[in-house]
Amino acid sequence: MASSRKSSRSKADAGDFAARVAAKIRESVDPSRRLIVGLSGGADSVVLLDCLNRAARKWRWRVSALHVNHQLSPNAGRWSSFCRRLCRARGIPFESVKVEVARGSNLEAAARMARHAVFARQRGDYVVLAHHVDDQVETLLLQLLRGAGVRGLAAMPVLRKAKGGRQERSGRTGRRQSSPAVLRPLLDVTREEIVEYARKRGLKWIEDESNLDTRFRRNFLRHEILPLIERRFPSYRVTIARSARHLAEASRVLDEIAVSDGAAGLREGALAVDALRRLPPARARNLLRYFLAERGIELPGTARLEEAMRQALGSRRDARVSIDLDGARLMRYRGSLHVVRSMAAVPADRFSLRWNGEPRLVLPGTGVVTLARARGSGISIPSLRKGAVTIRLRQGGERLQPDCGRPRRSLKNLLQEARVAPWLRERLPLVFCGSDLVWAAGIGVDCRYQAARGEPALRPAWTPAA
């Protein structure tokens, strides 16, 4: 009888935990939303998946799981298989994605970047992650040790809202889609509570051997430093997490100040240099940090940020300003700063895509070209019957006559005159009919191929890759 009562109490406790997690999710998530659980196979994510799966029917959430295989461990394939079997047994849709992680001085950061790049490409409303209060404490301390500012010390938010307008690169649709929001419903739950729930529910999980490697900074804190702190400050998790919440609040206030300071200078994804120049140094730095963070750039260190400010404000107007950031470059062009994502170079002399009537074409590393049907405006469809229609990149020497009243000119001069940014010129799509240049993005349609009044036509447009 005693054993039976203990089992009943354990089930009740497990139910309370699952209900607590579901309640936290309901604060941000409406019914019928699609939730993608980041499933590593460890105890934290297995418990999160179990809680969501139990609540999904009641709240009409569509739950699936995503495993990111970093290919860093000899056991990586086994972990992926474990996650697949776990989801199959529960009837949960599952996907595993392999990523290449750049090996360097900070493998943890590189793996995180690769993982979050996969999250950003998902078609769902929320990616739900199993970070808990112990993770939050470790994150704050790591940020403190690297000299982070208020935004960094705010650590991980419960909810990071979706970033709109990213370009879907898979398939051939070229459909615009927002990256999913990121939700962390376990940030007020301890690792101990998670493991206790897993045991009561009889859940199985895997252990990543790298979690014991104290060469990694987070593991060093977890295994060497925090046990010492706990001996003297047993409630350190609660108090440090509280500090993170206070800092998050301060960070939101600084963002509001940045929005106000940049009201006239933030436009079309760029930041006017004059908006920085008008501000006191501290507020100028705050505005630049906000601009970078809104574009998903990991905030640079103090020295790098100061160098960015120095080059942006102090270089000659005609000087090329380019500062390397987290997988991107901060570039100045015509009085504004732009974040330009680093992309693998596409050899122009080997890039040629045949057009077979598709309304949209996805061009790797370039973006999406749409060819909408129209009449009397755009590219004449009858004129395109002269030869094969292809889309290529610039190779140099191309000439175009977009204005029938002016002579044919070099594409290089036309792009400069149209003020097309240099980094866009490198991946500018061009439509050819045979050897004739028909259309250049940002410039227009060649005179010989412009549709006459009432004539069936194609109206081309280009959306650069984000």
Side-chain angles (χ1 to χ4, degrees), residues 230-278:
E230 186 168 26
R231 282 167 51 187
R232 184 65 180 84
F233 303 97
S235 61
Y236 78 90
R237 293 176 181 84
V238 173
T239 54
I240 293 180
R242 184 191 307 145
S243 292
R245 291 193 294 273
H246 292 327
L247 289 159
E249 186 175 277
S251 180
R252 288 192 292 271
V253 172
L254 289 173
D255 284 350
E256 291 171 4
I257 293 170
V259 169
S260 176
D261 285 344
L266 290 165
R267 53 181 180 272
E268 297 181 2
L271 172 60
V273 173
D274 283 345
L276 294 173
R277 190 171 281 119
R278 287 193 294 266

Side-chain angles (χ1 to χ4, degrees), residues 181-212:
V182 174
L183 180 64
R184 298 179 175 91
L186 304 183
L187 281 184
D188 60 352
V189 174
T190 66
R191 164 77 176 177
E192 185 179 9
E193 290 178 282
I194 289 170
V195 171
E196 183 183 9
Y197 174 91
R199 287 174 177 158
K200 286 175 179 175
R201 289 279 293 165
L203 303 177
K204 297 183 184 301
W205 66 88
I206 58 174
E207 294 288 354
D208 183 343
E209 72 280 355
S210 71
N211 286 337
L212 299 176

Side-chain angles (χ1 to χ4, degrees), residues 430-459:
L430 309 176
V431 172
F432 284 84
C433 180
S435 60
D436 293 342
L437 176 56
V438 173
W439 171 79
I443 304 300
V445 179
D446 188 84
C447 181
R448 294 172 297 175
Y449 287 84
Q450 291 175 8
R453 185 173 181 179
E455 190 174 27
L458 296 170
R459 192 171 294 151

Side-chain angles (χ1 to χ4, degrees), residues 163-384:
K163 299 291 184 182
R166 77 172 168 82
Q167 185 65 53
E168 176 60 50
R169 293 182 184 65
S170 62
R172 302 181 72 85
T173 64
R175 185 170 62 88
R176 300 294 291 182
Q177 177 178 320
S178 294
S179 296
V182 174
L183 180 64
R184 298 179 175 91
L186 304 183
L187 281 184
D188 60 352
V189 174
T190 66
R191 164 77 176 177
E192 185 179 9
E193 290 178 282
I194 289 170
V195 171
E196 183 183 9
Y197 174 91
R199 287 174 177 158
K200 286 175 179 175
R201 289 279 293 165
L203 303 177
K204 297 183 184 301
W205 66 88
I206 58 174
E207 294 288 354
D208 183 343
E209 72 280 355
S210 71
N211 286 337
L212 299 176
D213 189 346
T214 55
R215 290 176 299 176
F216 294 119
R217 299 169 186 173
R218 186 176 290 272
N219 289 342
F220 178 74
L221 282 178
R222 183 178 301 166
H223 299 298
E224 302 287 343
I225 303 302
L226 290 174
L228 292 176
I229 292 177
E230 186 168 26
R231 282 167 51 187
R232 184 65 180 84
F233 303 97
S235 61
Y236 78 90
R237 293 176 181 84
V238 173
T239 54
I240 293 180
R242 184 191 307 145
S243 292
R245 291 193 294 273
H246 292 327
L247 289 159
E249 186 175 277
S251 180
R252 288 192 292 271
V253 172
L254 289 173
D255 284 350
E256 291 171 4
I257 293 170
V259 169
S260 176
D261 285 344
L266 290 165
R267 53 181 180 272
E268 297 181 2
L271 172 60
V273 173
D274 283 345
L276 294 173
R277 190 171 281 119
R278 287 193 294 266
L279 294 171
R283 289 186 39 182
R285 288 191 294 270
N286 182 56
L287 176 55
L288 182 55
R289 288 191 194 97
Y290 173 82
F291 172 70
L292 296 176
E294 284 296 292
R295 275 137 200 86
I297 301 297
E298 185 171 345
L299 295 184
T302 301
R304 177 70 64 179
L305 190 75
E306 290 291 352
E307 178 62 16
M309 292 291 294
R310 187 191 68 77
Q311 289 196 37
L313 300 177
S315 300
R316 299 189 322 271
R317 287 188 175 275
D318 60 346
R320 179 183 174 88
V321 172
S322 178
I323 298 103
D324 288 332
L325 298 172
D326 168 32
R329 289 175 292 160
L330 180 66
M331 303 189 72
R332 189 185 69 182
Y333 179 65
R334 294 190 177 273
S336 291
L337 296 175
H338 304 257
V339 171
V340 182
R341 297 285 177 182
S342 300
M343 295 185 183
V346 181
D349 59 346
R350 283 182 278 170
F351 183 96
S352 181
L353 186 64
R354 178 74 178 262
W355 180 66
N356 294 309
E358 302 95 330
R360 297 179 179 87
L361 291 169
V362 179
L363 312 179
T366 295
V368 174
V369 170
T370 58
L371 294 155
R373 298 280 174 166
R375 278 196 174 272
S377 175
I379 302 172
S380 162
I381 291 178
S383 297
L384 291 178

Side-chain angles (χ1 to χ4, degrees), residues 43-116:
D44 309 336
S45 62
V46 168
V47 163
L48 176 61
L49 183 69
D50 187 73
C51 290
L52 261 174
N53 194 42
R54 294 174 70 182
R57 179 174 295 181
K58 180 177 181 180
W59 301 107
R60 304 195 308 280
W61 293 327
R62 292 170 290 163
V63 176
S64 63
L66 171 69
H67 175 78
V68 179
N69 182 350
H70 300 92
Q71 305 184 84
L72 295 174
S73 167
N75 297 311
R78 292 170 53 197
W79 299 342
S80 180
S81 297
F82 168 84
C83 292
R84 188 178 300 278
R85 291 194 303 272
L86 180 73
C87 291
R88 185 184 296 135
R90 290 161 172 75
I92 299 171
F94 173 79
E95 181 183 7
S96 181
V97 178
K98 289 183 178 180
V99 295
E100 297 288 338
V101 178
R103 294 179 181 268
S105 59
N106 194 341
L107 192 61
E108 293 170 281
R112 183 175 62 252
M113 285 174 56
R115 186 166 59 249
H116 280 269

